[in-house]
Amino acid sequence: MPFKFKLGFCTDLHGSEYTFRRTLNIAKSKKIDYLIISGGLTAKDIVFVEEIGGMYLVNGKKVNLKNLTEDSLRSGKYLIVNKKEVIDDIKADKSKLEKTLAEIIADQFSRWIKIADEIYRLDRVLWSPAHGDIPQLDDILRGLGAKLVNDSVSFIEDVQLVSLGYGSPIQNSYREVSDSDIYIKGKSLLKDAEKDKVIMNFHMPPLNTKLDVIKVGFKKFHAGSKAVLDLINEYQPFVSLHGHVHESTGVEKIGNTTAINPGSIFQLGEPSIVLFDVYKEVKTIGTLSIGSYVIKNIEFVTTATMYM
């Protein structure tokens, strides 16, 4: 088994293909051994584009479809382009909207899987759909040959990756559960884990830390999960990885756990990825050798900025 590997982690791409491509290019240039792409993977916004005789309208205003399509790839939006009567029908029928959305997402991830393999290495990408991602995404990704790790215990070499994508209720989106359910689900996954070998990949950040601060006007609030904080304190994985709160890029030590949120600037089409080396340290006591994992060389990377 290797005694060192380099891991990359990004989260909350929200449908931005620019962010996705740039993240993969960073992974390639930095020679990352494994890349975890955590949820929300899918776009948050839908734009309805009405087609009339070769013209395109959004909310009654003429638009350039080519420019709008380019902007959607950058900022993460799904375009539904059709005649007015078809759009009105889709808007009026939730099942039709969900079917249309699933088709758009299936097409997007079919493209993304090919991009991942062309730029980086598909077999080294670990996908973790989470809060806000449609339930069908899991089967879409599996059908395309992607490695899913969400809501499970998986392995990176001999390190245990424990992943949970559920989020606290905020806006009646997909994969929302109560904080007590997050604790129950998380504890079920972590109960047999060896803490010295565990990377905890929980989409919700721990409550009341530097990783969960949001700004509303001039005020700041903590939007994390007490359940996640309690699980970190209880199981003390050597590293925990989080997302959800885009503006709280940072690192915080919680007991022996190094907790990290790389943040997200997907709206700009820019990547926000954290890289670090995972080392296996072996201590010999008499004839007994004991191995434990630590992380070193934490690096946050965007297109133009690197900082420690």
Side-chain angles (χ1 to χ4, degrees):
M1 293 292 180
F3 283 81
K4 171 189 171 183
F5 59 84
K6 183 178 285 291
L7 189 63
F9 176 74
C10 65
T11 181
D12 296 290
L13 303 182
H14 289 301
S16 170
E17 192 157 309
Y18 276 37
T19 299
F20 180 63
R21 283 181 175 273
R22 289 168 174 170
T23 297
L24 291 168
N25 279 313
I26 290 170
K28 180 180 180 180
S29 66
K30 292 288 186 176
K31 298 181 179 179
I32 293 171
D33 294 302
Y34 300 94
L35 173 64
I36 301 171
I37 301 180
S38 181
L41 299 172
T42 53
K44 301 169 74 174
D45 297 319
I46 301 171
V47 179
F48 293 95
V49 184
E50 182 183 341
E51 181 185 357
I52 304 177
M55 290 193 308
Y56 299 93
L57 307 174
V58 174
N59 297 325
K61 295 183 179 180
K62 188 177 177 181
V63 297
N64 182 305
L65 185 61
K66 182 179 179 181
N67 292 343
L68 186 63
T69 300
E70 193 69 16
D71 177 68
S72 73
L73 293 173
R74 179 186 298 106
S75 59
K77 296 182 179 72
Y78 293 141
L79 304 184
I80 297 179
V81 184
N82 219 312
K83 305 295 184 184
K84 183 179 186 303
E85 57 270 23
V86 176
I87 288 176
D88 288 344
D89 188 41
I90 291 171
K91 286 182 175 180
D93 189 329
K94 185 178 179 181
S95 65
K96 288 183 180 179
L97 178 59
E98 290 180 346
K99 182 176 182 292
T100 302
L101 184 59
E103 290 170 353
I104 293 171
I105 291 171
D107 180 67
Q108 176 189 41
F109 281 89
S110 178
R111 188 170 65 252
W112 279 24
I113 289 294
K114 292 176 183 176
I115 292 170
D117 209 28
E118 288 169 2
I119 296 178
Y120 182 55
R121 282 184 55 177
L122 183 60
D123 64 320
R124 295 299 180 100
V125 180
L126 307 174
W127 305 78
S128 186
H131 192 227
D133 293 321
I134 64 170
Q136 301 97 307
L137 181 59
D138 299 54
D139 287 338
I140 289 169
L141 285 169
R142 286 193 193 96
L144 293 167
K147 291 185 177 180
L148 264 70
V149 297
N150 56 307
D151 309 332
S152 69
V153 179
S154 52
F155 285 86
I156 301 176
E157 305 298 348
D158 63 341
V159 170
Q160 294 172 292
L161 178 66
V162 181
S163 305
L164 188 70
Y166 288 96
S168 302
I170 53 169
Q171 55 187 7
N172 195 31
S173 66
Y174 307 101
R175 306 178 199 249
E176 289 188 355
V177 297
S178 68
D179 207 45
S180 59
D181 280 340
I182 289 176
Y183 181 82
I184 292 167
K185 291 175 184 292
K187 190 175 182 69
S188 177
L189 292 172
L190 286 161
K191 61 182 175 62
D192 297 323
E194 299 177 55
K195 68 178 182 179
D196 291 336
K197 290 185 175 183
V198 170
I199 294 174
M200 187 171 156
N201 168 33
F202 280 36
H203 190 62
M204 290 295 293
L207 183 65
N208 294 330
T209 63
K210 291 183 289 187
L211 312 184
D212 78 325
V213 180
I214 63 171
K215 294 180 181 179
V216 179
F218 295 103
K219 294 184 179 181
K220 294 182 179 181
F221 299 90
H222 290 281
S225 164
K226 184 177 185 301
V228 172
L229 178 64
D230 289 344
L231 288 166
I232 291 172
N233 281 318
E234 186 173 346
Y235 288 95
Q236 289 287 281
F238 71 92
V239 62
S240 65
L241 304 172
H242 310 279
H244 188 62
V245 180
H246 302 174
E247 57 264 55
S248 280
T249 302
V251 180
E252 179 147 331
K253 201 74 174 178
I254 303 173
N256 294 320
T257 299
T258 302
I260 305 173
N261 181 355
S264 174
I265 45 177
F266 78 92
Q267 299 96 326
L268 303 177
E270 298 291 343
S272 185
I273 177 174
V274 63
L275 323 174
F276 52 88
D277 294 323
V278 177
Y279 285 84
K280 186 176 184 180
E281 294 186 339
V282 179
K283 297 179 181 179
T284 302
I285 304 173
T287 59
L288 182 65
S289 293
I290 301 173
S292 62
Y293 283 91
V294 296
I295 68 169
K296 299 179 181 179
N297 306 321
I298 299 172
E299 183 180 12
F300 291 89
V301 184
T302 68
T303 302
T305 306
M306 298 183 187
Y307 59 96
M308 292 299 293

